Amino acid sequence: MSVKTLIINEQLVSAGEEQTVLEAAQDAGIHIPTLCYLEGVSAVGACRLCLVEIAGSHKLQPACVTKVAEGVEVSTNTERLQKYRRMIVEMLFAEGNHICSVCVANGNCELQDLAIEMGMDHVRLEYQFPDRHVDGSHDRFGIDRNRCVLCTRCVRVCDEIEGAHTWDMAGRGTNSHVITDLNQPWGTSQTCTSCGKCVNACPTGALFDRGSSVGEMKRDRVKLEFLMTAREHKQWFYDSI
Amino acid sequence: MDLQEGVIPALAVDTPVDYESLTQLGSIMGSGGMIVMDQNTNMVDVARFFMEFCMDKSCGKCIPCRVGTVQLHRLLTKIRQGEASLADLELLEELCDMVKYTSLCGLGQSAPNPVFSTLRYFRDEYLALINSTTQ
């Protein structure tokens, strides 16, 4: 395997010829924001967050699918790229219903992290407030499509790693959405192995483990009664719910 | 002009129909089709019509085209209805630039062209709709 030498942000970087600009940058400790990219599955270049400038080309290139080449000069964090990236994140917030305070992924969300990284303190675009389908038919997992950013990570892990291909895309443009099987309820899916890879791959709170979503906490009132009888009558009867 | 391409004013009527000349004017050759419009056509309506076409044709894979065309269509509708401010016009231009340079394929990359070219040659029609509102 031959080695290519390129310049990323005025820093000389060596990379294997099969590597992408993103991999070369990551190996050199240079951070490029990503969203649809997930190590281990194929790259699709759809989110456009990893766009970089390449000297001599007026076209911006997605670092996750652009192979390294000898001598190219790459800039990953120009003012123009920062502006575009901020707008991409703004677009995602305007497109879905991303209300961090009531989301299961609050604090563990890549979209939230990106908004913070881009310094997105408000959204200038008009919120679209979609009314998308929520599917709670699966025993262990749930999907709230209002939080989906259409990165297709779930589709790719399910197909390429688990080999089940339960997930897929349906619709087009603003009506794009992920579906299970041929748009059947997730709980009735014949192909889903309930492996949970999709839930772990999801960057937002769209796919979640049941029991962790807001409003699913159940109180054990019997315990209060148990404590009272234990204290007052020295009797320990406990029937949990 | 094709559906996704530029609008050029009457004073350019003698332009040769070839790739280079039309590119210079901010339009493209496409399949060589042409639509002729007179002064009764509102240019914001034209841009909005083209944007609706792109919005419907967007596949939804990349974010700038999937969300950008919807947002541009909303902004153009807002301007047409006389409800937009100058800040909205600025945002419109900023969005057009972003969608053009970040979209994955030719559809998104050329979607803002009708807005760019109507703004270039018929900016007064946009401003007339904005000036008539209180800000």
Side-chain angles (χ1 to χ4, degrees), chain A:
Chain A
M1 188 178 75
S2 73
V3 171
K4 305 277 182 196
T5 305
L6 61 158
I7 299 162
I8 305 180
N9 298 347
E10 295 172 2
Q11 181 184 332
L12 275 171
V13 172
S14 294
E17 64 178 340
E18 284 304 306
Q19 279 194 301
T20 62
V21 173
L22 179 66
E23 288 164 345
Q26 283 175 342
D27 287 351
I30 298 165
H31 171 71
I32 299 175
T34 54
L35 182 63
C36 65
Y37 176 79
L38 182 68
E39 201 181 335
V41 292
S42 59
V44 289
C47 75
R48 317 307 282 167
L49 277 166
C50 72
L51 283 179
V52 293
E53 287 180 18
I54 292 177
S57 164
H58 69 283
K59 263 197 163 171
L60 304 174
Q61 298 293 344
C64 66
V65 290
T66 305
K67 289 267 188 293
V68 294
E70 186 65 35
V72 293
E73 284 179 49
V74 181
S75 304
T76 68
N77 205 23
T78 63
E79 223 169 89
R80 181 178 176 217
L81 290 173
Q82 285 173 16
K83 190 180 129 192
Y84 288 163
R85 285 177 189 147
R86 196 195 123 117
M87 288 181 86
I88 289 171
V89 179
E90 274 185 73
M91 281 181 172
L92 288 174
F93 272 85
E95 185 191 29
N97 296 322
H98 299 286
I99 301 149
C100 302
S101 56
V102 294
C103 180
V104 285
N106 191 6
N108 299 295
C109 172
E110 289 180 44
L111 182 66
Q112 192 179 40
D113 294 344
L114 281 168
I116 295 165
E117 187 187 336
M118 302 307 149
M120 192 204 81
D121 44 18
H122 66 291
V123 174
R124 292 168 298 166
L125 308 171
E126 194 184 334
Y127 283 99
Q128 293 172 213
F129 297 121
D131 185 9
R132 301 190 192 137
H133 184 60
V134 179
D135 186 350
S137 62
H138 194 284
D139 288 343
R140 290 174 52 201
F141 315 119
I143 177 165
D144 182 348
R145 291 181 177 80
N146 296 293
R147 299 175 188 147
C148 176
V149 290
L150 299 163
C151 66
T152 70
R153 280 188 192 180
C154 53
V155 179
R156 286 173 285 154
V157 285
C158 188
D159 175 38
E160 297 170 24
I161 310 293
E162 180 63 7
H165 203 133
T166 301
W167 290 104
D168 220 321
M169 297 299 300
R172 66 182 301 152
T174 195
N175 298 316
S176 304
H177 56 283
V178 288
I179 53 166
T180 40
D181 284 352
L182 295 171
N183 204 13
Q184 299 302 303
W186 193 0
T188 65
S189 170
Q190 302 277 305
T191 58
C192 178
T193 61
S194 302
C195 71
K197 288 186 179 69
C198 51
V199 176
N200 285 313
C202 183
T204 70
L207 286 163
F208 52 87
D209 287 319
R210 294 201 41 173
S212 60
S213 55
V214 172
E216 285 193 355
M217 186 187 76
K218 290 206 174 68
R219 287 181 181 79
D220 190 356
R221 302 286 190 204
V222 179
K223 203 165 197 168
L224 297 175
E225 216 176 294
F226 164 77
L227 286 171
M228 289 302 288
T229 51
R231 274 183 193 168
E232 289 171 11
H233 307 294
K234 306 290 177 212
Q235 290 175 329
W236 286 265
F237 303 118
Y238 182 57
D239 295 313
S240 81
I241 48 170

Side-chain angles (χ1 to χ4, degrees), chain B residues 8-92:
Chain B
I8 48 183
L11 55 94
V13 73
D14 290 330
T15 308
V17 182
D18 61 41
Y19 290 93
E20 294 76 19
S21 316
L22 288 171
T23 306
Q24 261 191 350
L25 284 171
S27 181
I28 54 171
M29 184 82 169
S31 56
M34 241 179 257
I35 303 166
V36 181
M37 292 173 241
D38 67 11
Q39 64 274 19
N40 292 313
T41 309
N42 183 290
M43 287 326 233
V44 180
D45 265 345
V46 173
R48 192 173 159 271
F49 170 79
F50 286 139
M51 196 53 69
E52 191 175 342
F53 172 84
C54 292
M55 188 172 78
D56 290 343
K57 291 289 169 280
S58 173
C59 80
K61 179 173 174 176
C62 78
I63 301 162
C65 175
R66 184 180 76 227
V67 190
T69 51
V70 174
Q71 290 290 335
L72 284 168
H73 185 261
R74 286 185 177 210
L75 272 172
L76 289 165
T77 307
K78 200 175 166 189
I79 293 170
R80 185 66 184 97
Q81 289 170 345
E83 289 163 4
S85 65
L86 271 177
D88 288 316
L89 191 62
E90 254 174 62
L91 182 62
L92 180 84

